[in-house]
Amino acid sequence: MESKIFVGIIIACVVFIVICVIRKRPDILIDFGLRACLGTAGIYLLDLLLSSRGYNINVGINAVSFAANGLLGLPGFLLLYGLAFYYSI
């Protein structure tokens, strides 16, 4: 099941990138890249902070979290931590 979701996210990202290139909107690609990189750095820093305080809530850095941050931005970041909190209970 997880592999199907992963493939679906990859296909959605590729379609998004192709549409952006076709429309000659490089600003959307730059926004995606910035959101994804900053969100991934935020995940790393927040995981580091939470683990130093003794909380056991971790979000892994992988293609799914990278894509969620890139496509959704801050709501994607919060979604990842919300899911991590929900499944840690």
Side-chain angles (χ1 to χ4, degrees):
M1 180 68 178
E2 292 177 0
S3 63
K4 289 180 184 180
I5 293 171
F6 184 69
V7 170
I9 290 173
I10 290 174
I11 290 172
C13 289
V14 169
V15 168
F16 177 77
I17 291 170
V18 169
I19 289 172
C20 292
V21 170
I22 289 173
R23 291 185 175 194
K24 296 182 182 179
R25 296 280 314 260
D27 57 328
I28 294 175
L29 291 175
I30 292 170
D31 284 345
F32 175 82
L34 285 174
R35 281 192 305 248
C37 290
L38 289 174
T40 303
I43 287 172
Y44 177 75
L45 294 174
L46 192 57
D47 279 348
L48 190 65
L49 178 72
L50 289 175
S51 66
S52 71
R53 301 276 170 122
Y55 295 104
N56 193 17
I57 299 173
N58 295 324
V59 174
I61 297 174
N62 53 34
V64 175
S65 62
F66 188 81
N69 281 320
L71 290 174
L72 300 175
L74 182 60
F77 181 82
L78 297 175
L79 172 74
L80 291 171
Y81 273 99
L83 288 172
F85 179 71
Y86 177 75
Y87 285 112
S88 70
I89 296 177

